Amino acid sequence: MKSVLIVAEHDGSALNPSTAKTVRCAQALAADSIDVAVFGSGIDAVAAQAARLNGVNRVLSVDRAENAHPLAAVIAPQVAALAPDYRYVFGPSTTFGKDVMPRVAALLGVGQISDIMEVLSADTFQRPIYAGNAIVTVRAPADGPIVATVRVASFRAVAEDGSASVETATTDATLPTHTRFVELQSDTGDRPDLQVANVVVSGGRGVGSKEKFDLLYALADRIGAGVGASRAAVDAGYVPNDMQVGQTGKIISPNLYLAFGISGAIQHLTGIKDAGTIVAVNKDPDAPIFEIADIGLVGDLFAVIPELEKQFGG
Amino acid sequence: MEKIMVCLKRVVDYNVRIRVKPDQSGVVTEGVKMSINPFDEIALEEALRLREQGKATEVLVVTIGSADCQQQLRTGLAMGADRAVLIESDHDVEPLAAARILLKMIEKENPDLALLGKQAIDDDCNQTAQMLAALWDRPQATFASKLEVNDGSLRVTREVDAGLEVIDVDLPAVVSSDLRLNEPRYVKLPDIMKAKKKSIETIAIDSFGVDTTPAFAVTEYAAPPVRGKGIMVDDVAGLVDALKEKGFSL
């Protein structure tokens, strides 16, 4: 049996698109089957959505009160309990997957391959090291499960046009009580999630203040874009941490990335290397971001953005 | 809390521009500056602050690696760690083996808290803390940006994709630090001099009876693909035209 188990990421009401991207990666394994495990509480809608992912054969819904919040210490033993039936156990390389999957691997007594960016064969993968400044080819051991996280920026989401079966699954894993969820502070609003948005508008220190970021929000809302920021803008307190794009923030791959007032520190460029088209607007003609931008404009973002807004969206 | 164990890794300094060797056998590490992994340095800083606030009594730093790692342990001692242990290995140790070795250290030292960086900036694995917590059968709080000590537990704020998640974990526990947990102190010269007098305990990695043979084969190192050179436009009209040419109609 050469089958795949994917640990789904969701927020209780909908799948995170990272799951559909992980399925795309799993398809490249040419495995016999792909199952998706959904851990949560009251997750019928999420399980039904997972069943629509193209290429998925079966959805395992592990619905219990203890799974209401994605705590690694609670979820990992349940994944490990399901794992013996599979050759591959994959999760997305999001903060959720990065938290859960190594714990699963250790419980299974195997190592993990982090951030798969390409599947070369059934046991050989490419992954980035040194913040993407080198790519290594890694071969997994011949036996034992292959536990891995999938770099979501490297894979397109599969379509939601399938019809897998949904089965209720239970495990006899003992769940710990030593880890307790308190709260999630989130102020992302209605804008598309950075890691899945087709277009991302992003600002750096050049934006100058929290208030002036409103200009970027307005432009983003006009074109249905997500909003990101450089580490400098986050550190200056213009925007919250979860908007940070870069090596220490989110690694994203939108079709179009519009960078305003971002100089282009290496750690930021690492986070946008997979974007389809990169547009940079900066006052400084020597800003490093122009070296990787597909379209560059030397100019004042405060003049450029209002003009762009006029041109965009009719 | 009494003891905090901080795990450090010696890595290529984050300011060094990484180059892949022409024969694709690795990246160039000869003659480049080596440092404590920045996330581990943050972990150590947090442990020192907890001790300075009277919330812990001892900070132990541990590393796994070659004899050269003494340099990084010395830096850790200069920052203020009480003791340092080098687990000497002549080969790279994968995260699972590192976690197994660190568990042996935990069994020996009985810390209330193991603090690690969320990932090493060389292999970018982001695994060791989670694996250690699993093997120890204790809580994990990864990507910590704030840490509050309560009676027998920690309240940890975690940087997750959706925002900030707050969890409570009972002690003992494993915490991995994210970038914003703190800003590590600068080491002063007198502290460096004092640290030179402190001794570093060295333990041979084989003495733990853990198999540290790598399980994964790294068969090739390659430079990342380079993006093609773009174009510069003069004004917004030019920008909109260039976008249209690429098929974007916004």
Side-chain angles (χ1 to χ4, degrees):
Chain A
M1 256 298 259
K2 248 185 53 180
S3 50
V4 189
L5 177 67
I6 290 171
V7 181
E9 174 171 3
H10 63 88
D11 64 2
S13 53
L15 274 185
N16 184 293
S18 62
T19 307
K21 295 180 173 197
T22 305
V23 172
R24 171 81 64 185
C25 173
Q27 286 179 334
L29 297 165
D32 300 331
S33 67
I34 299 175
D35 290 356
V36 173
V38 182
F39 298 88
S41 175
I43 42 167
D44 289 351
V46 181
Q49 191 188 355
R52 289 195 296 273
L53 294 178
N54 185 295
V56 172
N57 299 83
R58 194 166 63 133
V59 173
L60 304 174
S61 173
V62 190
D63 195 329
R64 55 189 292 180
E66 294 93 329
N67 289 340
H69 302 288
L71 297 170
V74 173
I75 292 175
Q78 301 174 73
V79 179
L82 296 174
D85 294 339
Y86 299 90
R87 166 69 168 150
Y88 305 95
V89 184
F90 280 18
S93 187
T94 54
T95 52
F96 164 77
K98 288 172 179 173
D99 192 37
V100 172
M101 300 309 289
R103 190 159 182 129
V104 172
L107 292 175
L108 296 173
V110 296
Q112 176 188 282
I113 299 176
S114 297
D115 305 315
I116 290 178
M117 55 194 296
E118 199 174 337
V119 175
L120 298 182
S121 74
D123 63 359
T124 308
F125 308 89
Q126 284 191 322
R127 62 172 300 261
I129 58 170
Y130 288 101
N133 287 304
I135 311 295
V136 287
T137 303
V138 182
R139 194 174 63 241
D143 34 71
I146 298 178
V147 177
T149 60
V150 173
R151 185 173 182 272
V152 289
S154 299
F155 297 89
R156 283 176 302 120
V158 296
E160 291 192 22
D161 59 1
S163 55
S165 60
V166 177
E167 293 174 19
T168 304
T170 51
T171 72
D172 54 6
T174 313
L175 304 188
T177 55
H178 54 48
T179 306
R180 296 169 296 276
F181 175 87
V182 178
E183 61 171 337
L184 177 67
Q185 302 161 0
S186 183
D187 50 7
T188 42
D190 293 335
R191 286 188 194 95
D193 184 82
L194 271 181
Q195 273 158 321
V196 297
N198 279 321
V199 182
V200 169
V201 172
S202 201
R205 201 196 294 276
V207 177
S209 73
K210 193 174 175 176
E211 291 68 33
K212 288 179 184 158
F213 244 86
D214 286 345
L215 260 180
L216 275 80
Y217 295 131
L219 177 66
D221 291 345
R222 179 120 188 159
I223 57 177
V227 181
S230 69
R231 179 172 160 192
V234 173
D235 287 349
Y238 303 166
V239 295
N241 298 348
D242 53 0
M243 282 173 59
Q244 184 180 322
V245 172
Q247 181 186 347
T248 50
K250 288 175 184 165
I251 292 173
I252 60 173
S253 55
N255 292 331
L256 177 61
Y257 186 75
L258 300 156
F260 296 98
I262 291 179
S263 65
I266 289 180
Q267 85 89 24
H268 185 77
L269 303 184
T270 300
I272 58 171
K273 270 195 289 215
D274 292 316
T277 296
I278 297 174
V279 173
V281 177
N282 202 298
K283 274 198 294 200
D284 175 9
D286 297 323
I289 191 143
F290 288 128
E291 284 166 31
I292 70 151
D294 299 289
I295 308 171
L297 172 58
V298 178
D300 178 6
L301 68 97
F302 298 106
V304 170
I305 291 180
E307 259 195 82
L308 270 180
E309 241 190 292
K310 268 185 244 161
Q311 303 256 7
F312 287 167
Chain B
M1 280 189 287
E2 292 195 3
K3 196 184 292 180
I4 302 177
M5 182 171 106
V6 179
C7 309
L8 305 180
K9 185 177 182 186
R10 169 186 164 97
V11 297
V12 174
D13 187 84
Y14 75 100
N15 284 312
V16 172
R17 206 181 181 98
I18 297 299
R19 282 178 302 124
V20 173
K21 289 179 186 170
D23 67 357
Q24 304 200 315
S25 65
V27 302
V28 178
T29 53
E30 289 79 23
V32 305
K33 187 183 176 200
M34 303 296 285
S35 298
I36 298 177
N37 174 45
F39 292 108
D40 299 344
E41 197 180 0
I42 293 169
L44 174 54
E45 175 66 32
E46 195 66 17
L48 296 172
R49 289 184 190 189
L50 289 171
R51 191 194 59 195
E52 284 157 7
Q53 292 158 13
K55 289 171 182 154
T57 52
E58 189 187 8
V59 175
L60 165 71
V61 285
V62 177
T63 193
I64 304 173
S66 69
D68 292 336
C69 296
Q70 294 204 12
Q71 272 174 19
Q72 282 64 45
L73 290 176
R74 289 270 169 233
T75 306
L77 290 168
M79 282 175 71
D82 298 289
R83 281 198 297 135
V85 176
L86 167 63
I87 297 162
E88 203 170 344
S89 167
D90 58 4
H91 60 274
D92 284 345
V93 175
E94 289 175 352
L96 179 63
R100 285 174 170 156
I101 295 282
L102 293 172
L103 179 67
K104 296 281 182 189
M105 280 303 293
I106 282 177
E107 286 164 357
K108 192 169 163 219
E109 296 282 346
N110 287 309
D112 299 293
L113 174 63
L115 258 167
L116 297 81
K118 73 165 177 179
Q119 74 190 69
I121 62 164
D122 51 4
D123 61 27
D124 284 333
C125 276
N126 196 331
Q127 300 172 8
T128 307
Q130 296 88 316
M131 289 179 162
L132 177 60
L135 300 177
W136 195 13
D137 198 14
R138 293 305 307 166
Q140 69 187 47
T142 50
F143 323 137
S145 64
K146 193 178 164 203
L147 209 152
E148 221 180 293
V149 183
N150 295 316
D151 192 21
S153 71
L154 295 176
R155 175 155 293 191
V156 185
T157 304
R158 306 178 55 233
E159 290 198 21
V160 296
D161 292 335
L164 296 172
E165 185 193 72
V166 183
I167 59 171
D168 282 340
V169 294
D170 291 340
L171 292 170
V174 178
V175 171
S176 82
S177 59
D178 214 318
L179 190 66
R180 293 184 184 82
L181 185 59
N182 60 54
E183 258 183 61
R185 64 197 64 193
Y186 286 103
V187 179
K188 298 186 203 81
L189 190 61
D191 297 324
I192 296 174
M193 301 313 287
K194 256 189 273 173
K196 281 188 177 159
K197 287 181 201 135
K198 295 189 191 173
S199 71
I200 293 174
E201 184 189 348
T202 302
I203 306 175
I205 195 163
D206 294 339
S207 69
F208 290 103
V210 172
D211 181 6
T212 59
T213 315
F216 295 96
V218 178
T219 55
E220 189 190 304
Y221 289 75
V226 200
R227 287 184 77 97
K229 185 89 186 103
I231 56 159
M232 296 300 289
V233 296
D234 297 325
D235 48 27
V236 172
L239 173 52
V240 172
D241 286 345
L243 281 173
K244 276 187 189 146
E245 224 162 273
K246 287 187 177 284
F248 293 104
S249 55
L250 296 159

